[in-house]
């Protein structure tokens, strides 16, 4: 923490302080002082193939609102036969699953870390979430490529029009826009019996303590979080971090952005100093738990082992 | 190979003796010339080597204060399932790939050791993958075995051998097979050359004499050629085992340690411990253990070589 | 020696050719696929299923290495690799020549032990001491620098270089340097003007192996250089290959592999003799 400049007072003076993305702000705050501001945002949502929904007899205006919905819709789309699959995800990427699987857990009242930052990998909600994915895998609703995909194959698979549902973020939209042969839409990631959640990602911007141009840097940060800059970012497909401006600069750009804005408002991020080692490491406990539970079927064992490792990592030993 | 023995007391150039101050100057010169090498090796090898021992006695995070813990890291290592699995997997990998490399290298050597027309061309062709780096070869093969975008699956499909391109990297055994295939492709040319050079150093008279004595081709091979090849075989063995025990690049790049961390090797785990989990002290202890294993294996191998040479 | 009837000999030769060619195809196949993938147009390179014979030839994948993919300028990293490799070659040749000459021709107390001590490096792989090596680099403020990386490469190539150069100098008959010294040459000029030209093959071999080690290394580069701008080619390719949340451009990746692999193949083809002799003398040790 000695690396960044404390900008608490400057931020408090901002008129739009309350409009800044909550989860970004939480991550930028340490012991009550603020060290960074949100810059770009990313929220996870479910993408779904409207064309395939219609073909499978599903109403595209009624996207999945519960886990049962997701499974049910996936089954119906898989029933179209051939190489049409109901659901896809990148099963070998830790970061991707932090982004897209955690919201299922959050929306159902669970979490991966408790309020003190201690891992809760063996909690019952996670068991249920893993079981949900495992059932879909066992029922062959997910293509085999998911097992080894580190994030680069499931997107194109969805973009090829063969998959019903795929969780991802706003950054995926440019890729989708070049796939013209089907209609798609987005919906928030649902909880087990309703509700929704999202993973708030993106970037923060801060001033290094050693900087010799602090005043200029602050001016830039102010500008970067201002309406003009955030509008430019929005036009490029990047979710703005000014939640107070969603209705004015973001949603009008594209009707689909409404869901993304909604997701961003509910966006959460785990708060932990060992986040990378836990959730971003492709050899770490988070992804190993998902892989062992979903693809190998030993859900309890996977959770236990993951919790052990996560505890060891958090304890710093 | 021992250095030629030098006369230490008096040096002669031509027929003149030389003074001791001249000798002293030459000594200084000699030391001066080896100084750069000594400094570099001292600084970047011996010092880190010593540090490894020292660091292993500490709980040493990459950022932050270190804490003396004595032999605790070693105790932890011996009970650490991840490390033990990594060592186990590394041994499995070594045990599986070593005979494959030797057999393939041997077969290639037999093919190209003659003097037929074209033999030089084939020697070069089989050796071609050798100078490529392990990393480059891994990037090549990780693409080759991709189930949708990779050509190998497509070729098998077109040949009618499979319906769908296989998900080679989805299972531990098949992922290991991919790595073994890559390493075989990349290094058997080298075993070939080494074994071939060994074969060439066997005087043909011995083989001919055996044949004249009535030995069949097969008997000549097993009773004359092979025993004389033992030193070369031993050499190939030592190189290949050492390299396999230290494998990293190919597993990091092709399998990413997966599926589900099942193809993580010892060096991979040490890297992960030190630079992803930021535990330098523990990583140092693991490194020491790795060196012990290496030393043991080398020792055993050298013993076997000595015994075989005596036979 | 039994003489085979002509027909059987022909059949044997034919069989030999068939087997050898089949094997050659197997060995060359990956290289062929790599090269064709790199020279396909980006659209074709991304085709699923992939085409086995390119329908379109294009240098676009190479051009895109200049920055379009994942906003990484691979050309910069190629230069980084080149810089590190050439620095390694230069330093290894210089230091090994001096050291090898001294061990072969000059005398000082403890020479034998000293030589053995320096060669101990062979027995311990640098992977095992990378952890403290990282700290040493940090202490010298060389962490995350290409200079630091080069120093590591140089150090670990020195034992082999010293061994090769000592052999190379050792095989020169004593009369030659002695004659030079009688003519009034200093040790240094005796080395450069008389011995070195004769020992040149050793120098070439040393340089060749040093280049390969530096150009191809992945492990040390991955750990010691973390700034993306300073990365060398093998590490850059790993970023390309992990393509976070996006698609991997296999065409660009293979183009990168081509740039990484082809120089090695070409160098080997041109300097085959030196490479093989280097291998064999390393083996003899």
């Amino acid at each position: 923490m000695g690396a960044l400049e404390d900008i608490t007072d400057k931020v408090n003076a901002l008129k739009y302080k309350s409009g800044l993305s909550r989860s970004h702000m939480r991550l930028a705050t340490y012991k009550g002082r603020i060290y960074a501001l949100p810059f770009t945002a990313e929220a996870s949502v479910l993408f779904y193939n409207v064309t395939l929904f219609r073909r499978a007899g599903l109403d595209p205006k009624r996207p999945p609102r519960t886990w049962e919905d997701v499974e049910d819709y996936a089954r119906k789309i898989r029933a179209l036969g051939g190489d049409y699959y109901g659901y896809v995800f990148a099963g070998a990427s830790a970061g991707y699953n932090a982004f897209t699987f955690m919201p299922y857990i959050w929306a159902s009242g669970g979490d991966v870390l408790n309020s003190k930052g201690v891992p809760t990998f063996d909690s019952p909600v996670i068991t249920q979430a893993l079981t949900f994915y495992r059932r879909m895998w066992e029922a062959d609703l997910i293509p085999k490529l998911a097992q080894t995909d580190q994030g680069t194959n499931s997107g194109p698979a969805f973009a090829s029009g063969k998959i019903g549902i795929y969780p991802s973020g706003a950054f995926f939209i440019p890729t989708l826009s070049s796939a013209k042969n089907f209609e798609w839409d987005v919906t928030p990631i649902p909880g087990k019996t309703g509700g929704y959640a999202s993973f708030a990602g993106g970037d923060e911007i801060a001033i290094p303590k050693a900087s010799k141009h602090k005043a200029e840097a602050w001016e830039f940060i102010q500008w970067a979080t201002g309406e003009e800059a955030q509008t430019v970012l929005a036009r490029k497909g990047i979710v703005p971090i000014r939640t107070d401006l969603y209705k004015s600069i973001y949603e009008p750009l594209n009707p689909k952005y409404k869901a993304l804005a909604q997701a961003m408002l509910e966006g959460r991020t785990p708060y932990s100093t060992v986040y990378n080692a836990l959730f971003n490491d492709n050899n770490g406990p988070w992804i190993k738990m998902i892989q062992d539970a979903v693809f190998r079927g030993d859900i309890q064992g996977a959770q236990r082992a993951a919790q052990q490792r996560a505890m060891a990592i958090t304890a710093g030993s | 190979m021992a250095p030629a023995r030098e006369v230490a007391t008096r040096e002669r150039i031509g027929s003149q003796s030389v003074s001791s101050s001249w000798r002293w100057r030459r000594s200084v010169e000699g030391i001066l010339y080896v100084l750069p090498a000594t400094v570099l090796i001292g600084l970047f090898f011996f010092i880190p080597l010593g540090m490894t021992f020292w660091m292993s006695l500490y709980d040493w995070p990459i950022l932050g204060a270190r804490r003396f813990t004595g032999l605790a890291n070693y105790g932890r290592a011996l009970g650490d399932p991840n490390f033990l699995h990594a060592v186990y997997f590394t041994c499995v990998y070594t045990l599986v790939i070593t005979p494959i490399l030797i057999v393939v290298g041997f077969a290639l050597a037999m093919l190209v050791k003659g003097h037929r027309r074209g033999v030089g061309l084939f020697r070069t062709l089989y050796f071609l993958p050798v100078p490529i780096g392990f990393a480059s070869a891994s990037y090549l093969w990780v693409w080759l075995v991709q189930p949708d975008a990779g050509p190998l699956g497509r070729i098998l499909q077109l040949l009618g051998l499979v319906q769908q391109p296989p998900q080679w990297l989805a299972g531990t055994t098949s992922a290991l097979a991919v790595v073994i295939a890559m390493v075989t492709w990349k290094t058997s040319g080298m075993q070939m050359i080494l074994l071939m050079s060994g074969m060439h150093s066997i005087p043909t008279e011995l083989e001919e004499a055996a044949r004249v004595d009535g030995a069949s081709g097969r008997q000549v091979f097993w009773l004359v050629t092979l025993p004389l090849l033992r030193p070369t075989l031993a050499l190939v063995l030592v190189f290949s085992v050492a390299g396999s025990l230290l494998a990293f690049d190919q597993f990091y790049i092709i399998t990413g340690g997966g599926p589900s961390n099942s193809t993580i090797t010892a060096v991979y785990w040490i890297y992960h411990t030190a630079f992803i989990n930021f535990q330098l002290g523990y990583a140092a202890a693991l490194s020491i253990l790795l060196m012990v294993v290496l030393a043991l294996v080398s020792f055993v191998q050298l013993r076997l070589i000595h015994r075989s040479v005596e036979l | 020696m039994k003489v085979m009837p002509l027909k059987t000999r022909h059949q044997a030769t034919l069989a030999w050719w068939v087997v050898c060619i089949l094997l050659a195809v197997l060995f060359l196949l990956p290289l062929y696929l790599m090269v064709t993938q790199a020279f396909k147009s980006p659209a074709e390179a991304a085709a699923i299923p992939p085409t086995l014979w390119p329908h379109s030839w294009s240098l676009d994948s190479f051009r895109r290495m200049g920055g379009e993919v994942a906003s990484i300028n691979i050309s910069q990293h190629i230069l980084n690799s080149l810089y590190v490799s050439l620095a390694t070659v230069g330093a290894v040749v210089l230091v090994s020549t001096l050291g090898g000459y001294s061990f072969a021709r000059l005398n000082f107390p403890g020479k034998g032990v000293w030589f053995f001590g320096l060669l101990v490096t062979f027995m311990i792989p640098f992977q095992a001491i990378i952890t403290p090596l990282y700290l040493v680099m940090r202490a010298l403020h060389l962490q995350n620098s290409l200079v630091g990386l080069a120093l590591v490469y140089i150090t670990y190539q020195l034992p082999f270089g010293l061994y090769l150069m000592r052999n190379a100098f050792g095989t020169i008959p004593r009369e030659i340097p002695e004659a030079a010294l009688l003519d009034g040459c200093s040790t240094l000029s005796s080395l450069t003007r008389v011995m070195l030209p004769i020992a040149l093959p050793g120098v070439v071999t040393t340089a060749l192996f040093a280049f390969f080690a530096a150009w191809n290394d992945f492990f040390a580069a991955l750990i010691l250089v973390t700034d993306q701008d300073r990365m060398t080619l093998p590490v850059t390719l790993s970023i390309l290959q992990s393509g976070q949340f996006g698609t991997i451009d296999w065409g660009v990746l293979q183009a990168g592999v081509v740039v990484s692999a082809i120089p090695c193949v070409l160098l080997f083809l041109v300097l085959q003799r030196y490479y093989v002799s280097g291998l064999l003398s390393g083996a003899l040790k």
Side-chain angles (χ1 to χ4, degrees):
Chain A
M1 267 311 129
L4 299 175
E5 179 83 355
D6 182 336
I7 50 176
T8 314
D9 301 319
K10 294 203 178 64
V11 173
N12 281 333
L14 285 176
K15 278 199 288 273
Y16 48 85
K17 179 184 174 213
S18 56
L20 293 166
S21 157
R22 242 183 358 166
S23 55
H24 281 77
M25 291 306 290
R26 184 164 153 256
L27 285 179
T29 311
Y30 185 71
K31 294 207 167 112
R33 310 298 294 176
I34 305 177
Y35 293 89
L37 277 188
F39 181 40
T40 63
E42 218 15 289
S44 51
V45 289
L46 284 185
F47 285 76
Y48 63 96
N49 185 328
V50 169
T51 314
L52 279 185
F53 265 43
R54 290 208 193 97
R55 274 181 65 181
L58 299 163
D59 178 7
K61 299 259 183 305
R62 263 214 83 249
R65 296 267 146 76
T66 65
W67 293 1
E68 220 185 290
D69 282 350
V70 174
E71 236 189 286
D72 185 47
Y73 291 21
R75 215 175 285 268
K76 293 210 167 72
I77 292 172
R78 182 76 181 107
L80 292 174
D83 46 0
Y84 290 104
Y85 283 88
Y87 191 89
V88 75
F89 72 109
S93 165
Y96 171 86
N97 284 294
F99 190 58
T100 60
F101 188 66
M102 268 189 219
Y104 284 118
I105 301 169
W106 289 330
S108 315
D111 204 342
V112 289
L113 304 170
N114 69 12
S115 54
K116 295 200 180 46
V118 176
T120 54
F121 284 29
D122 49 2
S123 55
V125 179
I126 297 187
T127 311
Q128 290 164 354
L130 290 171
T131 311
F132 156 51
Y133 261 34
R134 170 76 183 152
R135 272 208 306 270
M136 288 203 289
W137 175 255
E138 274 183 314
D140 190 37
L141 306 179
I142 304 176
K144 294 275 166 275
L145 64 88
Q147 191 175 0
T148 48
D149 183 30
Q150 288 197 333
T152 51
N153 291 322
S154 35
F158 182 81
S160 72
K162 297 280 173 67
I163 315 270
I165 301 172
Y166 169 61
S168 186
F171 55 79
F172 182 53
I173 294 180
T175 317
L176 260 192
S177 310
S178 49
K180 301 256 182 282
N181 53 347
F182 64 95
E183 277 179 67
W184 56 272
D185 206 337
V186 293
T187 183
I189 298 177
K192 182 154 193 274
T193 48
Y196 63 89
S198 176
F199 186 107
D203 298 317
E204 310 252 13
I205 188 169
I207 307 178
K209 229 186 181 158
S211 166
K212 298 194 175 51
H213 303 283
K214 296 203 176 111
E216 291 91 330
W218 175 248
E219 240 184 84
F220 176 75
I221 292 184
Q222 253 191 306
W223 177 82
T225 51
E227 183 166 345
E228 197 190 327
Q230 291 289 315
T231 310
V232 171
L233 288 175
R235 293 220 183 91
K236 289 222 176 291
I238 296 176
V239 184
I241 43 82
R242 290 286 303 278
T243 54
D244 55 332
L245 296 176
Y246 280 167
K247 289 246 161 358
S248 52
I249 63 169
Y250 189 52
E251 291 173 22
L253 291 176
N254 189 324
K256 302 197 173 98
Y257 283 3
K258 191 154 190 261
L260 281 161
Q262 205 183 354
M264 192 64 228
L265 283 170
E266 287 302 315
R268 293 165 58 161
T269 321
Y271 189 82
S272 166
T273 49
V274 288
Y275 178 81
N276 268 337
L278 286 175
F279 300 110
N280 248 348
D281 178 15
N282 280 344
N283 299 117
W286 166 248
I287 186 64
K288 181 154 165 57
M289 174 179 76
I290 294 177
Q291 285 191 318
D292 283 345
V294 176
F295 303 119
R296 290 177 188 204
D298 177 18
I299 300 180
Q300 305 281 25
Q303 280 187 277
R304 237 180 306 124
Q307 174 66 10
Q308 250 184 339
R309 260 190 76 191
M311 290 299 286
I313 292 174
T314 316
S317 58
Chain B
M1 219 165 98
R5 285 179 48 100
E6 305 266 5
V7 177
T9 42
R10 289 178 81 95
E11 209 172 339
R12 293 186 166 272
I13 291 190
S15 56
Q16 296 170 324
S17 313
V18 294
S19 72
S20 63
S21 86
W22 185 88
R23 244 187 301 127
W24 182 81
R25 264 191 300 129
R26 289 265 285 179
S27 281
V28 169
E29 217 170 22
I31 295 181
L32 226 54
Y33 277 41
V34 301
L35 216 49
T38 312
V39 167
L40 283 171
I41 294 181
L43 195 53
F44 297 113
F45 175 75
F46 281 107
I47 289 185
L49 183 60
M51 279 176 72
T52 314
F53 288 98
W54 178 55
M55 283 172 74
S56 69
L57 303 174
Y58 283 78
D59 169 7
W60 194 316
I62 227 175
L63 292 169
R66 57 181 190 260
R67 212 175 28 105
F68 183 79
T69 54
L71 296 175
N73 282 332
Y74 292 98
R76 184 170 154 216
L78 295 177
D80 181 354
N82 295 305
F83 177 61
L84 293 176
H85 181 86
V87 171
Y88 163 74
F89 175 73
T90 311
C91 291
V92 167
Y93 167 66
T94 307
L95 283 172
V96 172
I97 201 174
T98 306
I100 294 178
L101 288 179
I102 293 188
V103 166
V104 172
F106 200 90
L108 291 176
M110 292 293 284
L111 268 180
V112 302
K113 71 174 175 141
H115 301 283
R116 284 185 235 245
R117 221 166 26 121
V119 96
L121 170 70
F122 289 117
R123 278 184 207 159
T124 307
L125 286 179
Y126 302 152
F127 197 85
L128 224 45
V130 174
I132 300 175
F134 261 99
S136 308
S138 299
Y139 291 122
L140 171 55
W141 277 74
V142 78
W143 167 66
L144 290 181
V145 301
Q146 286 294 306
D148 45 2
L152 282 188
R154 180 82 182 126
I155 292 177
L156 288 185
Q157 215 179 11
L158 290 174
L159 288 176
L161 292 170
V162 295
Q163 285 272 44
Q164 290 279 40
Q167 296 262 346
W168 272 304
L169 297 177
T172 308
T173 321
S174 50
L176 181 59
V178 168
V179 171
I180 290 181
M182 185 281 270
V183 176
T184 308
W185 171 76
K186 189 190 168 328
T187 60
S188 46
M190 186 161 75
Q191 334 283 21
M192 169 190 80
I193 292 288
L194 291 173
L195 286 169
M196 192 187 76
S197 119
M199 287 174 190
H200 282 171
S201 66
I202 297 176
T204 45
E205 298 85 52
L206 286 173
E207 292 172 335
E208 283 178 30
R211 249 185 270 261
V212 163
D213 279 348
S216 72
R218 199 169 277 203
Q219 283 173 317
V220 171
F221 180 74
W222 285 104
L223 301 173
V224 179
T225 319
L226 212 49
L228 286 170
L229 266 183
R230 278 231 183 100
T232 317
L233 272 174
L235 188 81
V236 169
L237 193 72
V238 168
F239 269 154
S240 138
V241 165
S244 304
L245 287 174
L246 295 171
F248 174 79
D249 296 12
Q250 55 270 39
F251 290 101
Y252 184 84
I253 294 173
I254 297 182
T255 67
S260 194
N261 289 356
S262 56
T263 59
I264 292 191
T265 57
V267 172
Y268 193 148
W269 192 248
I270 292 177
Y271 158 76
H272 189 267
T273 306
F275 302 106
I276 309 273
N277 284 351
F278 300 139
Q279 300 165 31
L280 297 183
Y282 188 45
L286 296 182
S287 305
I288 298 283
L289 288 175
L290 177 66
M291 285 193 256
V292 166
V293 170
L294 275 170
L296 268 171
V297 170
S298 303
F299 181 68
V300 167
Q301 281 178 322
L302 286 173
R303 268 326 209 42
L304 289 175
I305 295 171
H306 269 209
R307 286 240 309 262
S308 74
V309 166
E310 284 161 23
L311 281 174
Chain C
M1 207 165 100
K2 275 196 295 183
V3 177
M4 291 190 277
L6 197 63
K7 186 155 171 258
T8 327
R9 246 192 301 145
H10 279 332
Q11 281 176 341
T13 310
L14 186 64
W16 181 84
W17 273 92
V18 167
V19 171
C20 282
I21 290 182
L22 274 175
L23 284 172
V25 166
L26 278 181
F27 272 89
L28 289 177
L29 188 63
L31 295 175
Y32 161 80
L33 291 170
M34 164 185 85
V35 171
T36 53
Q37 178 73 0
F39 285 97
K40 284 181 193 164
S41 72
E44 191 188 348
I48 295 174
T51 58
L52 297 174
W53 174 260
H55 302 149
S56 54
W57 295 89
S58 134
L59 287 176
D60 273 345
S61 286
F62 288 93
R63 270 187 225 118
R64 285 157 65 112
M65 290 204 298
E68 281 174 51
V69 182
S71 62
I72 298 179
N73 184 354
I74 305 184
S75 328
Q76 174 62 43
H77 299 110
I78 298 177
L79 286 176
N80 290 344
S81 275
L82 209 55
Y83 167 71
V84 168
S85 305
L86 292 177
T88 304
V89 168
V92 170
V93 165
L94 183 62
V95 176
S96 299
T97 303
L98 290 175
Y101 180 66
S102 173
F103 281 121
R105 285 276 165 243
L106 301 179
N107 254 330
F108 52 91
K111 186 168 86 162
V113 175
W114 200 311
F115 184 66
F116 180 74
L118 292 184
L119 255 57
V120 162
T121 326
F122 267 135
M123 306 188 199
I124 299 187
F126 80 94
Q127 289 97 323
I129 50 181
I130 193 70
T131 310
L133 198 52
Y134 172 81
L135 288 181
V136 169
M137 285 293 149
R138 213 162 67 165
L140 295 173
H141 295 291
L142 286 174
Q143 87 277 20
N144 198 22
S145 76
L146 293 177
V147 172
L149 190 60
L151 284 173
V152 171
Y153 290 151
I154 294 166
T155 306
Y156 286 88
Q157 277 302 111
L158 279 180
F160 191 49
L162 286 171
Y163 176 78
L164 283 176
M165 291 315 293
R166 196 194 72 150
N167 276 6
F169 287 125
T171 56
I172 301 176
R174 308 215 63 186
E175 297 77 49
I176 297 182
E178 281 175 7
L181 285 166
L182 275 176
D183 280 347
C185 276
S186 72
T187 316
L188 189 58
S189 52
S190 145
L191 168 63
T192 52
R193 285 201 234 131
V194 179
M195 304 278 272
L196 205 49
I198 308 177
L200 209 52
V203 173
V204 174
T205 310
T206 306
L208 199 58
F209 276 86
F211 178 81
F212 283 144
W215 179 261
N216 286 331
D217 172 75
F218 178 70
F219 191 66
L222 177 70
I223 292 174
L224 297 175
V225 177
T226 46
D227 222 352
Q228 198 164 296
D229 295 330
R230 303 200 195 142
M231 284 179 178
T232 52
L233 196 53
V235 184
T236 312
L237 292 180
S238 92
I239 298 187
L240 269 190
Q241 183 238 344
S242 61
Q244 285 271 14
F245 299 122
T247 31
I248 301 183
D249 189 330
W250 296 109
V252 172
L253 180 65
Q254 294 311 309
V257 176
V258 166
V259 171
S260 171
I262 294 299
C264 299
V265 173
L266 288 177
L267 271 176
F268 157 68
L269 286 174
V270 167
L271 299 171
Q272 243 179 89
R273 204 163 32 107
Y274 300 99
Y275 189 81
V276 177
S277 93
L279 264 190
L280 293 175
S281 33
L284 282 175
K285 159 217 75 88

